[in-house]
Amino acid sequence: MTTHQINRRSWLQTSATALTSVAAWKSPIIANAAAMRTNAKACILLWMGGGPSQFETFSPKPDHANGGETTVTSTAVSGIQISSQLPATAAAMKDLCLIRSVHGPEGSHPRASYVSHTGYLPTASVKHPTIGAHVVQHIGDQESELPSFVHIGRSRGVFSAGLLGVEYDPFILNSANQMPANTELSTSKDRYVRRLGLLENLEDDGSTEGSRQFVKANRNLYGKASRLVLSPQMKTFDITQERSDVRSSYGDGNFAAGCLMARRLVEAGVTFIEVASSNWDTHFDNASRTNTLCQEVDKPYAQLLADLKQRGLLDTTLVIWMGEFGRTPRINSRAGRDHYPRAFNVALAGAGVQGGQVIGATDASGNNITDQPVSVNDLLTTIYDALGIDSFHENISRIGRPIQIVEDGEIIDGVF
Amino acid sequence: MTKHLNLVFFLALWCFSPLVSFAQSPIEIAQKIDELLVSETIVSQTNICDDETFLRRAFFDIVGQPPSLEDVLVYGLEPSVNKRSLLIEFLLTDKTYGANWSRYWRDVIMFRRTNDQSLLGVAALESYLTDALNNGVSWDRIAVDFITAKGDIREDGRAVFIAAQQGRPEETVSEISRIFLGIQIQCAQCHDHPTDRWKQEQFHELVAFFPRVALRPQQEPRSFVVTATDFVGRRRTANANNRFVGTLEHTMPNLVEPTQPGQVMTPKFFVSGQTLPAGTSDAVRRDSLARWITSPDNPWFAKAVTNRVWAELVGEGFYEPVDDIGPDRTPSAPKTMDYLATEFTLSGYDIKWLMQTIMSTQAYQRSSLDRRNYDQIPFQANTIQPLRSDQLFDSMMSVFEISDAGSEGTGQGPRRSQSPRNVFADVFGYDPNDPRGDVTVSIPQSLAMMNSTFINEQIQARQGTMLSRLLQEVQSDRAAVQELYLRVFSRRPNRKELNTSLAYIKQVANRGESFEDLLWALLNSAEFKTRR
């Protein structure tokens, strides 16, 4: 955002709301209660793409026909039961705050995913920033050699920093089992450094009075990019550096590798990591497919929490487990469940979140929320609050429109 | 991809007769534009760029790729005084012109998509636009085609505009207004526009041209079809998740009391005030809207596209951002803007005429400078611009003397197939609607340029590459450095660059290796990635 864009709209000076927004924009630190209360440094979003079934995960309903064949297990917290497909997660219950009453406005994957990541419905005129972009803009380490926002895994939609600009875009790893694209040197290190020197000299020789901006921007960029690829911290991206017993404690598969990578990145000071699990869109054979997915997710999820805790990082790291919506209470004729945004589950842990509790409830059938409904925007507001970010903060769109980080959200009672 | 435009042939043959003749001469109109611009902006320096710069700039702006080595040499030797005009005319007849600008308009439309399914139609969209632009189809015809489109998005690219917004009336009319009028009326969707004159009713009256439109999925082959229904039976109605069918009329929701029924709106075009009654068929609604938008009586239709094309070519629009104009905005040179838009309307909305006219101005042909600061006078120079992803990709293809055959026409859209061009676009693509000064470079871009296997294979001095041929043919290091600069930057190195390069070659003491490094450095420099 340039001052140019702020200045060019006279109404910013005339409208009362806009005056506030300019003031908020200019203040780098919003000294409000939320910012003072927390010292969260990082956030891991475990994204369950496709929309996980709440009945086979955190809201089993064994006493109702809608519950299907899923059985329950007791957890480390007495009185809280979850699906027996998540035994390791059940054991970690003391760290988890389950929210069983989340509801969203959308039932299509791309639109609901967009809403969950941005707090807004998609529109052609404004590209709203995704959670990770807001988070790194506010609490990211600008001096870090590693990127502050890392997205791990292929998922249906990878959301961008939108109007915040590409410097807050995610650095994308298709898989945690490979080094990031184009970070392996194509030559020896000596020759690489020599090439960079030649580039710098030739750009000095060739730059003219009128082209200094581009040359300068290019030089900054190559400085950053080469600091990254030459950094000793690049080994953070290599999970084979972990002992084999540590690796096996996370289990197998891409999601497990992603969780292990997320822990390594948090240790190295990375601010926001999104790890994507996909295929939760179980329109048929819901029970067996969800079972497989739970096996892929359960162990790494619990181990990630345990590792963070053991290293003293859970107090400063928010871990979110969520998808774009839940699945229908009624099991369809193909033994599947369809999209259900009216009541679904999210789990939070770390960064001051009170673990060992359940917030909200649905009725026996799972159709309706009966206690403490939580909108997606309430959830996002709570996430930003946990990270010490003022969700009323306004960014200015390309055409001078102030856009709040989240509108109409309230902090969920009882989470902290 | 790169082809050697045979300038020798062209210059010899066409010096005497223009390729196209227009009612109003682009060169005369261009002179008037320069006079008006000087009177409005007090141009203090009028440095006209040299021929090498002009050649490279004109190539990028018209055909989206740099001139070949032969083009640079032939153009440099050509003595005609009007060779710039001849070059513009010639390039506008090249088929690559349509391909280049179809990609620009594709990005204008698709970067703002709210529906990824529309990517299935991207190849058809490009193909429609390429043909239309090459054949000189007028801009009003193109607008009418998009606004009134129906059909399968994989077969008819015109339908992709509506599919990009999933046929949702609010988003579709917002995009029609933004792209064809430059007016962001969607700000009035939920409340009256905070700064402009537009009222909430006016937005919803515009939406009322589109309630009957829908986007239906189709199996075998999987696709989507833009449809419209004038009878809504007892079928599934549109809901929040899809829009398989439309509704007969548009209802403006009651935002004060959301549970109360909204207000049924009748179509009314906010610019002209022209209306249609409730019950009008979809065909009449959309035809009327398209006619009213493209009418010569509506100044915003010509201004929106004139401003955009001017901004692409000169580097800065009269209005910025280019898609936020309208009666409540002040352009930086109002008389010039009005004059150019009026003459463009008189040309019959001829895009090639517009290109030729703008490129004939001194404003276009000035030396380039970095983007000015806000407090500096506009249009003192042509502004340096980052190349769009396709232009950069084609530049590399041109330098490497390879073709990207097979990387297009997959029917899967630019973000789906893993062709080199599309992988490249994932990293280097940017939204051309955004102010160009806000387009910033990213770390993945420099990583790709520095380290990608694709580029590093092509810069090798081993058998089969451009560099190996060059080093074989040119024995003198000095001449080889000069030729490499001509190939990569379409210019010769200056004295300092030549000395630095020769010193480096001497120091490395391995001819192949040092030239690989030199080529690597040139490709990674800001100059290669910009058009000046």
Side-chain angles (χ1 to χ4, degrees):
Chain A
M1 196 56 51
T2 60
T3 37
H4 169 108
Q5 282 168 294
I6 305 289
N7 292 337
R8 60 181 291 282
R9 284 286 174 265
S10 58
W11 64 276
L12 283 179
Q13 276 93 52
T14 55
S15 131
T17 9
L19 272 179
T20 331
S21 83
V22 170
W25 177 80
K26 280 183 176 164
S27 152
I29 298 157
I30 316 291
N32 67 359
M36 308 307 285
R37 191 168 51 68
T38 169
N39 58 349
K41 292 188 178 69
C43 179
I44 299 172
L45 171 58
L46 304 176
W47 179 253
M48 304 296 121
S53 166
Q54 63 278 30
F55 297 94
E56 276 66 40
T57 55
F58 289 120
S59 291
K61 302 275 186 187
D63 301 330
H64 194 282
N66 287 348
E69 289 158 19
T70 300
T71 56
V72 298
T73 182
S74 294
T75 66
V77 177
S78 81
I80 302 179
Q81 293 185 317
I82 62 172
S83 157
S84 51
Q85 295 177 11
L86 297 170
T89 308
M93 192 63 218
K94 282 187 178 157
D95 293 318
L96 292 180
C97 171
L98 287 187
I99 307 167
R100 285 176 168 161
S101 53
V102 185
H103 60 93
E106 276 289 335
S108 84
H109 295 290
R111 294 173 67 82
S113 302
Y114 188 92
V115 170
S116 308
H117 280 84
T118 66
Y120 289 86
L121 288 169
T123 120
S125 55
V126 177
K127 290 295 169 222
H128 302 95
T130 185
I131 308 171
H134 282 306
V135 171
V136 300
Q137 189 197 31
H138 286 266
I139 66 169
D141 175 7
Q142 307 301 326
E143 301 305 310
S144 169
E145 287 182 350
L146 294 178
S148 294
F149 177 9
V150 177
H151 179 106
I152 305 169
R154 289 181 181 276
S155 58
R156 206 183 268 260
V158 177
F159 299 95
S160 75
L163 61 91
L164 297 184
V166 293
E167 64 180 301
Y168 301 111
D169 269 347
F171 187 77
I172 298 168
L173 308 181
N174 286 330
S175 158
N177 288 310
Q178 291 162 9
M179 291 297 277
N182 302 322
T183 54
E184 280 170 67
L185 301 187
S186 44
T187 62
S188 69
K189 190 179 161 189
D190 286 349
R191 186 171 173 199
Y192 188 77
V193 172
R194 197 178 75 196
R195 277 183 175 181
L196 285 168
L198 178 64
L199 169 62
E200 189 166 333
N201 291 340
L202 288 176
E203 286 217 289
D204 276 341
D205 294 342
S207 94
T208 55
E209 196 55 50
S211 65
R212 297 219 193 285
Q213 277 176 20
F214 272 101
V215 170
K216 197 176 152 199
N218 199 50
R219 183 158 300 169
N220 283 341
L221 183 72
Y222 276 72
K224 270 192 204 167
S226 40
R227 268 199 302 284
L228 170 68
V229 294
L230 295 172
S231 167
Q233 292 207 58
M234 275 305 289
K235 68 176 188 298
T236 313
F237 289 111
D238 181 7
I239 58 168
T240 62
Q241 307 232 339
E242 294 282 342
R243 291 201 321 264
S244 64
D245 60 316
V246 173
R247 292 193 66 183
S248 63
S249 72
Y250 275 77
D252 298 322
N254 281 328
F255 183 76
C259 286
L260 176 55
M261 172 80 83
R263 190 262 283 159
R264 291 174 63 81
L265 292 171
V266 169
E267 285 180 287
V270 173
T271 306
F272 194 98
I273 303 110
E274 179 162 349
V275 187
S277 164
S278 43
N279 299 323
W280 289 90
D281 194 20
T282 50
H283 288 285
F284 57 92
D285 297 339
N286 169 65
S288 64
R289 289 171 64 201
T290 308
N291 195 358
T292 310
L293 289 160
C294 282
Q295 282 175 28
E296 287 171 18
V297 166
D298 180 48
K299 199 173 168 183
Y301 180 29
Q303 192 60 44
L304 171 64
L305 295 173
D307 269 12
L308 289 173
K309 199 170 180 178
Q310 187 254 331
R311 288 162 170 77
L313 290 168
L314 193 56
D315 292 338
T316 53
T317 306
L318 180 69
V319 182
I320 309 160
W321 183 102
M322 70 188 285
E324 63 265 43
F325 39 57
R327 308 207 73 84
T328 40
R330 236 180 81 101
I331 297 169
N332 69 23
S333 59
R334 296 184 296 165
R337 296 186 192 269
D338 304 318
H339 304 173
Y340 200 68
R342 283 174 53 194
F344 60 100
N345 296 169
V346 169
L348 301 176
V353 169
Q354 292 292 328
Q357 61 159 339
V358 171
I359 285 175
T362 48
D363 60 17
S365 67
N367 279 314
N368 303 299
I369 293 170
T370 53
D371 180 41
Q372 208 183 339
V374 169
S375 71
V376 168
N377 284 10
D378 293 337
L379 175 70
L380 292 173
T381 302
T382 308
I383 289 169
Y384 290 120
D385 188 68
L387 297 166
I389 297 166
D390 176 13
S391 57
F392 290 97
H393 173 88
E394 285 177 344
N395 293 293
I396 309 296
S397 84
R398 305 275 186 221
I399 59 163
R401 206 168 124 192
I403 313 278
Q404 266 183 29
I405 295 183
V406 189
E407 279 177 351
D408 303 327
E410 287 181 24
I411 296 168
I412 307 165
D413 262 354
V415 166
F416 301 109
Chain B
M1 186 71 188
T2 177
K3 55 175 151 292
H4 306 297
L5 301 164
N6 196 334
L7 288 161
V8 186
F9 167 78
F10 142 70
L11 288 169
L13 189 66
W14 294 104
C15 274
F16 311 103
S17 61
L19 294 175
V20 194
S21 54
F22 296 108
Q24 327 97 295
S25 148
I27 291 168
E28 284 168 27
I29 304 289
Q31 282 165 359
K32 285 192 192 154
I33 287 169
D34 282 319
E35 287 164 21
L36 276 172
L37 202 56
V38 167
S39 75
E40 287 196 288
T41 61
I42 323 164
V43 176
S44 63
Q45 59 174 78
T46 49
N47 294 335
I48 296 299
C49 67
D50 59 38
D51 280 343
E52 281 175 349
T53 307
F54 179 81
L55 180 72
R56 185 169 185 269
R57 184 187 295 171
F59 261 74
F60 274 126
D61 286 342
I62 300 179
V63 294
Q65 53 186 267
S68 68
L69 180 65
E70 289 80 355
D71 293 330
V72 177
L73 299 175
V74 168
Y75 189 76
L77 294 170
E78 170 60 37
S80 4
V81 285
N82 63 338
K83 67 181 177 178
R84 293 193 180 190
S85 305
L86 294 167
L87 178 75
I88 298 166
E89 277 189 43
F90 173 72
L91 290 177
L92 282 170
T93 62
D94 190 279
K95 294 296 176 206
T96 325
Y97 151 73
N100 176 39
W101 280 84
S102 89
R103 291 172 178 143
Y104 167 79
W105 290 107
R106 172 202 69 199
D107 287 349
V108 166
I109 297 166
M110 298 308 286
F111 262 92
R112 299 299 177 96
R113 70 183 183 272
T114 50
N115 172 30
D116 282 349
Q117 294 161 335
S118 59
L119 290 171
L120 278 173
V122 163
L125 173 66
E126 281 181 40
S127 147
Y128 161 75
L129 281 165
T130 303
D131 290 348
L133 293 166
N134 278 335
N135 295 333
V137 172
S138 62
W139 186 242
D140 58 320
R141 185 63 238 172
I142 292 174
V144 169
D145 279 353
F146 280 131
I147 296 168
T148 61
K150 278 186 185 178
D152 185 331
I153 62 167
R154 289 176 75 160
E155 285 163 14
D156 190 338
R158 293 175 292 190
V160 178
F161 188 101
I162 290 172
Q165 309 305 332
Q166 210 178 2
R168 290 172 190 265
E170 289 86 351
E171 295 301 329
T172 306
V173 301
S174 299
E175 283 293 274
I176 288 172
S177 179
R178 185 181 72 82
I179 294 173
F180 294 117
L181 303 171
I183 295 175
Q184 305 240 359
I185 195 170
Q186 82 287 344
C187 294
Q189 181 162 359
C190 309
H191 48 71
D192 293 345
H193 197 291
T195 56
D196 292 5
R197 62 193 66 193
W198 317 121
K199 302 290 178 217
Q200 193 186 352
E201 283 77 19
Q202 291 179 297
F203 173 75
H204 289 279
E205 286 162 351
L206 185 66
V207 180
F209 285 94
F210 265 74
R212 300 179 177 211
V213 174
L215 185 68
R216 234 173 254 166
Q218 177 187 281
Q219 307 296 328
E220 317 243 338
R222 181 170 165 262
S223 188
F224 294 86
V225 182
V226 172
T227 62
T229 22
D230 287 321
F231 308 96
V232 176
R234 298 180 57 191
R235 275 179 301 169
R236 290 176 68 180
T237 49
N239 61 34
N241 303 333
N242 65 57
R243 193 175 169 84
F244 297 162
V245 283
T247 55
L248 287 182
E249 302 296 339
H250 171 65
T251 306
M252 176 169 76
N254 185 332
L255 292 164
V256 185
E257 293 290 340
T259 53
Q260 297 297 306
Q263 184 187 345
V264 175
M265 306 302 286
T266 50
K268 182 176 180 183
F269 179 42
F270 65 98
V271 172
S272 64
Q274 287 158 294
T275 60
L276 292 171
T280 306
S281 71
D282 171 73
V284 173
R285 281 180 207 232
R286 290 201 279 154
D287 284 345
S288 307
L289 180 65
R291 257 187 300 117
W292 297 340
I293 282 180
T294 56
S295 160
D297 296 332
N298 168 20
W300 303 109
F301 179 68
K303 283 188 187 180
V305 68
T306 308
N307 184 54
R308 257 185 196 276
V309 175
W310 176 277
E312 286 303 311
L313 297 175
V314 180
E316 177 181 342
F318 299 104
Y319 297 90
E320 292 270 349
V322 291
D323 55 7
D324 187 21
I325 71 176
D328 298 301
R329 299 282 179 277
T330 313
S332 51
K335 287 180 201 154
T336 315
M337 164 89 263
D338 280 355
Y339 177 72
L340 180 58
T342 304
E343 293 299 320
F344 171 63
T345 307
L346 292 173
S347 80
Y349 300 126
D350 185 328
I351 297 286
K352 285 190 185 183
W353 176 89
L354 182 63
M355 297 270 299
Q356 198 178 338
T357 301
I358 296 173
M359 293 177 78
S360 305
T361 62
Q362 292 190 0
Y364 175 80
Q365 298 192 8
R366 290 203 177 99
S367 299
S368 61
L369 287 178
D370 283 322
R371 190 159 299 279
R372 70 183 171 107
N373 289 327
Y374 186 57
D375 54 2
Q376 292 172 323
I377 300 165
F379 308 127
Q380 304 294 301
N382 193 314
T383 301
I384 301 178
Q385 305 237 48
L387 293 177
R388 285 181 278 112
S389 164
D390 287 296
Q391 296 173 320
L392 187 56
F393 184 79
D394 287 334
S395 291
M396 285 200 316
M397 297 297 102
S398 165
V399 168
F400 297 151
E401 296 184 330
I402 56 176
S403 119
D404 73 330
S407 83
E408 287 183 283
T410 60
Q412 291 296 305
R415 308 290 178 266
R416 295 284 168 93
S417 82
Q418 293 293 301
S419 68
R421 179 183 293 274
N422 294 348
V423 170
F424 202 74
D426 284 341
V427 179
F428 289 89
Y430 63 77
D431 182 347
N433 297 294
D434 287 344
R436 218 42 61 87
D438 290 357
V439 172
T440 37
V441 280
S442 75
I443 288 185
Q445 291 176 356
S446 57
L447 293 179
M449 291 300 292
M450 288 193 295
N451 299 330
S452 75
T453 322
F454 171 70
I455 293 175
N456 276 289
E457 276 174 6
Q458 290 299 329
I459 65 168
Q460 307 265 330
R462 63 173 163 70
Q463 202 61 34
T465 62
M466 176 279 291
L467 189 60
S468 73
R469 289 191 290 276
L470 186 152
L471 293 179
Q472 212 160 29
E473 287 161 20
V474 185
Q475 292 306 317
S476 138
D477 286 346
R478 175 178 292 265
V481 169
Q482 282 171 330
E483 180 167 334
L484 201 57
Y485 262 82
L486 277 168
R487 285 176 178 272
V488 181
F489 293 158
S490 318
R491 66 167 174 88
R492 285 168 182 78
N494 66 30
R495 194 174 41 79
K496 284 199 275 182
E497 288 166 326
L498 187 60
N499 289 342
T500 302
S501 303
L502 291 173
Y504 185 85
I505 293 162
K506 197 174 169 193
Q507 176 209 331
V508 171
N510 175 328
R511 192 171 190 239
E513 199 177 299
S514 59
F515 271 92
E516 287 175 359
D517 294 351
L518 181 58
L519 178 53
W520 182 94
L522 297 184
L523 293 174
N524 279 286
S525 65
E527 183 165 351
F528 183 66
K529 293 175 275 190
T530 48
R531 149 253 183 259
R532 328 194 135 194

